[in-house]
Amino acid sequence: MTGKAMESLRAVGSQIDTTRRGEPARLIVLTAFGHGYQTDDGIAVVGLIALNP
């Protein structure tokens, strides 16, 4: 599932008009659970539990 989410995020990210809005600070895939990590191309995979204050 996360693989498809990353593919989708890459596709959306490639459509961002960076001349108007600049580069995104970070591309993030949120998951229900699991450990966070960063892919080789800079996408962060973050479990919702990591957002706990």
Side-chain angles (χ1 to χ4, degrees), residues 1-51:
M1 170 110 164
T2 303
K4 288 185 181 217
M6 284 191 276
E7 287 176 28
S8 234
L9 186 58
R10 285 183 188 106
V12 169
S14 70
Q15 296 175 12
I16 295 172
D17 182 358
T18 57
T19 59
R20 292 183 61 205
R21 304 293 296 174
E23 291 289 329
R26 173 80 80 181
L27 297 177
I28 299 173
V29 174
L30 287 175
T31 62
F33 50 85
H35 297 288
Y37 61 94
Q38 184 170 316
T39 64
D40 292 337
D41 60 350
I43 294 177
V45 179
V46 178
L48 287 174
I49 193 75
L51 301 179

